[in-house]
Amino acid sequence: MRSFLSLSLLTLAVSFGLGLPSYAQPANPNRFGNFSERAKRPQLNLSDAQKQQMRALREKTRQQIQAVLTPAQRSQLESALQSGQSRREVMRSLNLSDAQKQQMRAIREESRKQRMAILTPEQRTQLEQMRRDRPATPWVNPQ
């Protein structure tokens, strides 16, 4: 009887502790990267005012990009993002016209210039150093 109870407890421990997959994991755990790894990366230490300016700029850029898309493309973008696809994958699947691609490039470039203008000269230097130090291979979503 004791060996049966011990075996049962051992089976439960293995089943719940080691053998079964965790169902609490997000559908795409790598979508936002490994948060503990991200915390170890060097930071620019933006001030609260800079953070607020960056948020406003992101929202403005998002609205400008939305304005370039057709209603069907906007709908496709929203539903794909809600299903967990990465923004980059979704944008590639929208079949943008050459004119739309050119407009998006211009919007992104202007946004980049504005982001750089928000940073202090020291933060810009630090950002350039961070870019030089990052791995040569791009991050790949292992799906």
Side-chain angles (χ1 to χ4, degrees):
M1 180 70 167
R2 253 187 187 179
S3 62
F4 177 76
L5 182 59
S6 297
L7 182 61
S8 297
L9 289 175
L10 179 62
T11 303
L12 283 173
V14 169
S15 296
F16 287 105
L18 304 173
L20 296 178
S22 172
Y23 295 104
Q25 294 294 322
N28 186 353
N30 294 314
R31 180 170 178 207
F32 300 107
N34 184 336
F35 290 112
S36 62
E37 289 298 317
R38 288 177 63 191
K40 294 176 189 175
R41 282 193 255 161
Q43 302 294 317
L44 292 177
N45 297 321
L46 299 176
S47 68
D48 289 340
Q50 287 175 312
K51 289 176 186 177
Q52 186 176 7
Q53 289 175 307
M54 291 287 189
R55 276 187 220 107
L57 180 58
R58 267 194 309 271
E59 180 59 26
K60 176 184 164 193
T61 302
R62 188 189 68 75
Q63 289 173 354
Q64 289 175 327
I65 287 174
Q66 290 276 339
V68 170
L69 300 175
T70 66
Q73 288 170 328
R74 281 194 294 272
S75 174
Q76 183 182 348
L77 173 67
E78 291 303 317
S79 59
L81 290 175
Q82 288 176 356
S83 71
Q85 290 182 336
S86 76
R87 184 170 291 279
R88 184 174 293 203
E89 290 171 345
V90 175
M91 294 305 285
R92 286 184 182 148
S93 71
L94 292 179
N95 298 320
L96 300 172
S97 69
D98 289 339
Q100 286 176 311
K101 289 176 186 178
Q102 187 175 5
Q103 286 177 300
M104 296 242 188
R105 271 189 224 106
I107 291 168
R108 284 193 302 268
E109 179 61 25
E110 182 60 29
S111 177
R112 189 193 68 76
K113 287 178 185 176
Q114 291 175 4
R115 281 193 315 270
M116 294 303 281
I118 292 171
L119 299 176
T120 65
E122 295 81 18
Q123 288 169 326
R124 280 185 232 129
T125 302
Q126 185 180 0
L127 180 61
E128 290 304 319
Q129 183 63 44
M130 289 164 59
R131 286 180 178 159
R132 281 192 296 275
D133 292 346
R134 74 177 170 214
T137 56
W139 179 79
V140 178
N141 190 347
Q143 285 188 349

